[in-house]
Amino acid sequence: MNLNIITGIIFLILAPLIGGLIAGADRIVTARMQGRVGPPLLQPFYDVSKLFEKETMVVTTTQYVYVVAYIVFIAFTGALFFSGGDILLVVFALTLAHVFLIMGAYASRSPYSVIGAERELIMLMAFEPAIILCAAGMYLVSKSFFVRDIISYNGAIILLIPGLFFAFLYVFTMKLRKSPFDISTSHHAHQELIKGLTTDFSGSVLGITEIAHWYETVFLLGFIYLFFAFNPVIGIIALIVIYLLEIYIDNVSARVRWSFALKSAWIITAVLGIVNIGILFFRWW
Amino acid sequence: MSKQVVIPFGPQHPVLPEPLHLDLVLEDEKVVDAIPTIGYVHRGLEKLVEKREYPQYVYIAERICGICSFIHGMTYCQGIEGIMNLEIPKRADYLRTIWSEYSRMHSHLLWLGLFADAMGFESLFMNAWRLREHILDDLEATTGGRVIQGSCKVGGVRRDISSEKLDEMASGLDSMQGELHDLVNVFLRDSSVRHRLKGTGILSKDDAYLQGAVGPTIRASGHSYDTRKIGYAAYGDLSFEPVVASAGDSYARCEVRAKEMFTSIDIVKQAVKKIPDGPIDMKVTGAPDGEYFARSEQPRGEVIHYIKGNGTKFLARHRVRTPTLANITPLVTILKGCELADVPIIVLSIDPCIGCAER
Amino acid sequence: MTYLARSPWVIHYDASSCNGCDIEVLACLTPLYDIERFGIINTGNPKHADVFLVTGSINEQNKEVIKNIYNQIPEPKVVVAIGICATSGGVFRECYNVMGGIDTMIPVDVYVPGCAARPEMIIDGVVKALGILEEKWAKMEAGKK
Amino acid sequence: MGLFSMTKMVFRSVSRKPATLMYPVRPAKSAAAFRGRILIEPLKCIACRKCEKSCPTQAITVDVKVRTWQIDRLRCIICNCCVEDCPTNCLSTENIYTNPMTVREGIEIYTVPPKPERKKETVDNSKTEE
Amino acid sequence: MELLIFLILFPALAGLLVLLLPKDFLHGAVVKCSALIVAIVSVVLFAAEWNKGIQIYSLASEPTGQLIFLIELLIAIFLLYIGIKNRQYLVIGLVIVQTALVIWLEMAHPVSEITKNLFVDELTLIMALIVGVIGGLIAIYATGYMREYHLQHKEARDRRPLFFCLILVFLSAMFGLIFSNNLVWIFFFWEVTTLCSFLLIGYSGTEDAKKNAFSALWMNLLGGLGFVIALIALTFIKGSSFELMTLITTGPAIALIPAVLIGFAGLTKSAQLPFSSWLLGAMVAPTPVSALLHSSTMVKAGVYIIVRFAPVFEHTYAGYAIALVGAVTFLIASMIAISQSNAKRVLAYSTVANLGLIIACAGIGTYEAMWAAIFLIIFHAIAKSLLFLCVGTAEHSLNSRDIEDMDGLVLKMPKVAGMILIGIAGMFLAPFGMLMSKYATMRAFLDTPGGFLLILILAFGSAVTVFFWSKWMGKIISVPPSSGETIEKRVSISEWAALYSLSALTIVVCFLIPVISSVIVERFLKTTYGMTTSLPFENVVIMILMLVLVLILPLTFLHYRKDKKHTGPYMCGRPVNDAYAFEGSLGIRRELVISNYYLDSWFGEAKLVPVGCAAGVVLILISFAAMLIGGVIL
Amino acid sequence: MIREEQKMQDITPDSLIRSVQAMKDGGKRLVQIGCARIGDIFEINYSFDKDYNFENLKLTIPSGLEVPSVSGIYTCAFVYENEIHDLYGIEITGIAIDFKGTFIRTSIKYPFGVVSSKEEDACQNKL
Ligand code: SF4
Ligand code: SF4
Ligand code: SF4
Ligand code: SF4
Ligand code: SF4
Ligand code: SF4
Ligand code: SF4
Ligand code: SF4
């Protein structure tokens, strides 16, 4: 076994902290873009701490189990990723985690949760091809599915699979639940689904979902970092720029309909995927 | 096995600022049927005319609603004045006009904000409401109330605006115009906004007329119907053209409202120029006897105050037909066949105000 | 130590208000007042909320709704009645369909006067409610032990 | 047509200071004309009950016998009618508002001067005051 | 060899016994016993042969060959009779052409010199296990199921002896198909499966059943025609052989033409586009039939034969075209599955899709692809049979096979619901088997030059798969308002036995992936390709870790059960009663109805089937063209 | 302020449908339907408008009389008719979308149909 368990464990400990700070910074920057002052940097931590102090109301206890499974597998996903594991397995684990979250919403059998769950599934459907193709692209470049090999590939992956990178960036917004793709649930803006997926979560269940989201954000940023792994400085700068870009896009666009989200994500992924993967294939053979 | 979904939408719903409920029947996300129910805000205030003397009732009439509060108060007063055949001072008419237009601007900005919120465009909402605070500041400075102005009374108005303040207001509006343009630009040009609005909730020209739509809702379907053209208050003296669009979709309704704000600015500026000096109110004695339908143009459209007096201080009947009530039928029509995600947009696109619809 | 006061999430319901107070509640969210500075988010969902802001008075049709929303807010929670309609029924007190202030239906913790209540008054009211929220939490914790 | 038409406003917001007023760190903005609450100078009141009658919400109760003037802050809609109708101008509107309260106690009672012995004096008094 | 012959003959004989037994006498017991025996013998066979590599057995073909020819003629006459009686001209035509060709083949080129008629290798063993164990379990299940079936379906004539007989004969035919080395024999068994499936689909005798039975028949006959032509081609091609194992090793230059033609037969049998409609139509049959057709027999015969020829397809354009047929079928069938609410149809489309994936692997034909294909076959057979049987059981209790009616099945039928969840998870979730196989598929595609389009299709197809499975899971676990009594009591013991075994298999086999891989599959690859592959070791560890996690997590339920406050769902503040009915407009009390999304306007059958069929036809024609160019001209 | 010219015309229940149809044929828009209770009789006003010309049909009926719905002519009449039914208790027959008394739910049934609230409670100072 060549897994670097240490980095995995470091991820497990640090990711919520970093994720929370990113969320806090995100909220401040968003507020500034709207001409407001915004909350303190540590606000996300206050929020989550509060949620754990509150009474937890459930429609059915099974909700709890699903949400716990969600965070366990999100953390697992990230840990596997950061310990250099197999990127396809990482993607599979991510899907598994999301399926658990979706089950949590389904379990309540409440109209808005269930519609949120359906939409989350649609979003998952829009998201999956892009990330799978990215993994495939990285494999074609580095000849390995293992993150540790991809990261030590000494060439600019981004230059070889820019198309896939863009496709991933497109669906990244969906995962961050930001406008224009905050379709299944959203952090801020009001939507026709109340809070969609998380409508019937409360107290600690919601708190867990939130922490899981931080894990996920850090993991996804890690994934993006892979594209820039040839140079850590450029990598970090790229991450910051990309995140700011996401906030900016969040603030300059209206929410789209699910149909548009799915269609556009698929078309972009398919077109860029064909071109980019095609080029890679013919470079090698 | 039907693949239909039947869900409650409202009364408590974050995108509906006011309680209205719809039973939505969906197929996937397509709305097959939407049946509304109102009554969550019904207070029964029309019946208070039996307990309040007609001059006092102005304050109730104002609180039919806090958004176009002023216009409700004014229309009520016009109704009483109509029955009693009062010719109120010209300056009062002008002041009423100015405040009406301020109400309209404040209301439209508020609506634009909520509309943006319904599209999930949070920062646009924030910006619209930030601009709206300018209007509110002026309203507060001149009437003493941000949303409930309380500056109208039977026979005139209760407060005057000094000429310096009037000029200041006009120039304030001028300087606001730039930012307003930027804001409106987003609503009318941004591709993500257009993607949501174009073709959503189309109300045909005939439907709009026969189903009794009013205000921006009918104007967006190609009818140039604007009650201000009757010429109440000082509108007869001022020149303006109703804003009309023809597409009949949510985008057209948004466009009409957005452009109307500039008309309002223009009207205010004309009024500030033309306003005559003189008294702002007159003494009213006696009690109304007779009936009258007072009509005026609210931000949401034509409002009708039907007033029937019986010669006592207490009116026999006061009834308000608010624009929202008239727009409910078109709303139900255009909701059918839309997407769930469009429900808030379409509902908001007629700018429903349940407060006054139910009184 | 509780974080409740640092992250009070609100839900707003328009009982039968005239909109005057509603729009002032909404105005609190906007740049000029920006209550997100205090960690306040308007969740629009009772299950996520800590503070229940009600404007307008109780009437025949919304009484059940208010109760339902109140019951779906997890403990500890506070109710803030905003505007004189919500505190006493206001101008519409005598209307046939108005049953009075919010406290005729659910316990109210803070009364904010005004018609319409100004955003500043609403902020004051919510801040006042936070103290009560903390007290309630302390009591809840004590109850657990 | 425009992708991201909002850009201009967003960058303007970022480059400027936030519009936030920072209440309560800094005091609230409010116009001089703002109707915050009704103020009485009890000494001037003659308990004529004019305000009570003009009040659309019955917020004011004047007890002529016990000589009290009472207002319910949780009823008053600050419409200004009482101020306008008071013959002695003892009422006014301040631009400070009533604070929120945790118990429903909006009633404030003021004692007003006793009724003068002779009617005439009162009239004289008020005249001199004017 | 005795075991092989036993497996081929015993089920058929047991079937005949059932048919001949007096009415209602011991049918169930006989079927159960013989199914059990078949299962046990196939395990014994496995135990005896697993480490022996390829074993080819000589068996004089003469008497058997003539018997086979005779039966073939009888079948043809029977089909002709049925066809004429029901005016199925297409069927009549196909039968006539096919029989003529067979007779011509038999007369002009007697192939009696072949002696190496039976064989066993690792792939055969795996198939035998699938047919024997899963098929046996399905047969056992069927005994309980059919009793209930006839109670509920009064319109169907009770011909249970015939039914069981056919099922058992079916198993025989499958064994024959996989054990035969003689292509003529394979063709014979091939036709027997066609016949059995035709009769089983038409079992209930309703108009609908008949119609679908005939459409299954003509499509499979069309495939059979391809098979015959392949046989005829063999007689013309120099250096070719009627022995399967010999033919395969001759390489594409010689074997490509028969491979593509037999591959075409395989495509029809495994219901690839444009031939997928027969399998969908087959849903009218009682559920055990569906389970049998979908998991261990019929369609598996189709993919089996293509997988057999995979080495021939490696690096050929024809193979690539066949792989694309599979891939396109995978994508389109998965998409259509989204729009289906009938549980059996969802399963059917998912079968079509997964077979497509297997065929895509086989068409690619590299050793990595083969690894993936074999595991796909294994896991698909287990999970799919489990799902079909669960749906059958649920259907009898709910009187509906609609997914929407499975709302809250966890409370109504907790055990069955749990098994469905295991089955579904087995179909698409990491760390269960199907997904691990997909992992291998992915790698295989990436490592071959032809994989370019396949990888894209796979990426999209997987995403779509997640959607329709998850929403089904969601439906099952969403808790209905009134948690009534469970209604599981009526389920018979034989049904439970099959269900429990299959659920256990689904999980256990996941743990066994490394073992199966090293013990069987890698040996097979080694002998076929001289190269082998497996999952990276650490991935296996991770996978098992995840599996353990998934199995442990539900236990946290016990911990969370206490002191949580329960409330109703969020209903926009509207008062709701216990049954989730709310105060609606017009004074009506409305039931809350929640249903899944079907996105009909995107993924509806009406929209996608024509597209898929067109693509299928084009690709098949391309494969023929490539075959001709590659095999005849070059 | 100008006082609008408003045409008022009295009609009877029999001529209601005919007159309303005539309005529609004349291309007029239904502005509102409202009701007032004067003593024991109800006045129902049907208002129309075309090009800012306001016209009103006034139907006077004693209590207890049923009124036919005009929602067959103008769909949007259903809003007003339901409202009149809920507030006054006047039976209106054949409303296109009949809420059956649930359009506006009130704590007192038919608040405008019963005696005025002034007569009913003397105290205005209640909480
Ligand atoms: S239309 Fe709306 S804003 Fe205007 S008075 Fe009515 S409720 Fe208020
Ligand atoms: S009598 Fe008084 S308390 Fe009763 S409903 Fe009427 S106004 Fe309200
Ligand atoms: S208190 Fe005044 S402003 Fe607020 S809702 Fe009541 S009437 Fe409207
Ligand atoms: S409140 Fe008292 S003084 Fe005023 S009108 Fe009523 S009874 Fe008369
Ligand atoms: S301001 Fe108005 S409501 Fe308040 S006490 Fe005076 S008259 Fe009454
Ligand atoms: S406050 Fe003024 S109006 Fe009221 S009782 Fe005193 S003197 Fe009279
Ligand atoms: S004050 Fe109270 S007790 Fe006295 S009459 Fe009024 S309601 Fe009745
Ligand atoms: S308000 Fe005072 S005077 Fe009027 S009824 Fe009540 S107690 Fe009597």
Side-chain angles (χ1 to χ4, degrees), chain D residues 106-126:
Chain D
I107 296 177
E108 283 173 23
I109 302 178
Y110 299 86
T111 316
V112 298
K115 199 174 186 174
E117 284 310 308
R118 274 170 296 150
K119 236 184 174 177
K120 238 188 164 182
E121 257 179 48
T122 329
V123 176
D124 286 349
N125 265 355
S126 59

Side-chain angles (χ1 to χ4, degrees), chain D residues 38 54-57 59-60 71 75-83:
Chain D
I38 299 299
S54 72
C55 175
T57 61
I60 300 177
I71 183 166
R75 248 185 213 188
C76 170
I77 56 170
I78 323 119
C79 64
N80 220 29
C81 293
C82 52
V83 179

Side-chain angles (χ1 to χ4, degrees), chain C residues 2-141:
Chain C
T2 160
Y3 291 94
L4 277 163
R6 290 189 180 227
S7 148
W9 291 357
V10 304
I11 174 172
H12 163 228
Y13 182 67
D14 169 353
S16 57
S17 103
C18 76
N19 284 345
C21 290
D22 292 327
I23 55 179
E24 293 295 50
V25 169
L26 279 181
C28 290
L29 304 173
T30 59
L32 263 70
Y33 298 97
D34 186 28
I35 47 173
E36 208 193 339
R37 285 177 293 143
F38 315 112
I40 299 177
I41 296 179
N42 183 7
T43 63
N45 175 357
K47 297 192 173 184
H48 296 186
D50 310 300
V51 182
F52 188 15
L53 305 180
V54 199
T55 55
S57 42
I58 302 278
N59 78 4
E60 179 63 19
Q61 205 168 338
N62 67 28
K63 58 184 184 192
E64 287 302 322
V65 178
I66 289 182
K67 217 166 166 181
N68 185 297
I69 297 173
Y70 181 76
N71 288 336
Q72 290 201 341
I73 303 177
E75 296 287 348
K77 55 190 164 193
V78 286
V79 179
V80 182
I82 292 171
I84 60 140
C85 283
T87 57
S88 67
V91 244
F92 309 117
R93 199 170 69 252
E94 292 158 278
C95 295
Y96 56 83
N97 213 26
V98 172
M99 305 168 71
I102 300 306
D103 49 7
T104 53
M105 214 56 215
I106 55 175
V108 171
D109 298 289
V110 177
Y111 298 86
V112 179
C115 180
R118 274 182 79 93
E120 287 94 353
M121 304 167 77
I122 297 171
I123 293 176
D124 288 350
V126 173
V127 168
K128 199 160 232 164
L130 297 185
I132 300 174
L133 198 58
E134 286 186 329
E135 275 168 32
K136 285 194 175 176
W137 181 76
K139 227 180 260 163
M140 202 174 93
E141 287 298 293

Side-chain angles (χ1 to χ4, degrees), chain E residues 408-463:
Chain E
L409 201 68
V410 264
L411 291 188
K412 286 187 220 145
M413 309 183 79
K415 283 187 254 165
V416 176
M419 290 172 187
I420 298 186
L421 290 181
I422 291 175
I424 295 183
M427 290 302 298
F428 85 107
L429 277 183
F432 289 96
M434 282 304 273
L435 209 73
M436 297 320 296
S437 320
K438 266 192 199 156
Y439 173 94
T441 313
M442 185 102 187
R443 195 179 49 186
F445 288 170
L446 280 170
D447 280 341
T448 145
F452 164 51
L453 279 176
L454 297 176
I455 200 82
L456 273 150
I457 294 179
L458 182 62
F460 281 90
S462 310

Side-chain angles (χ1 to χ4, degrees), chain E residues 196-204 209 212-213 216 278 281-282 284-285 289 293:
Chain E
C196 287
S197 66
F198 165 69
L199 292 172
L200 283 171
I201 295 169
Y203 173 73
S204 70
N212 289 312
W278 77 260
V284 295
V289 176
L293 296 184

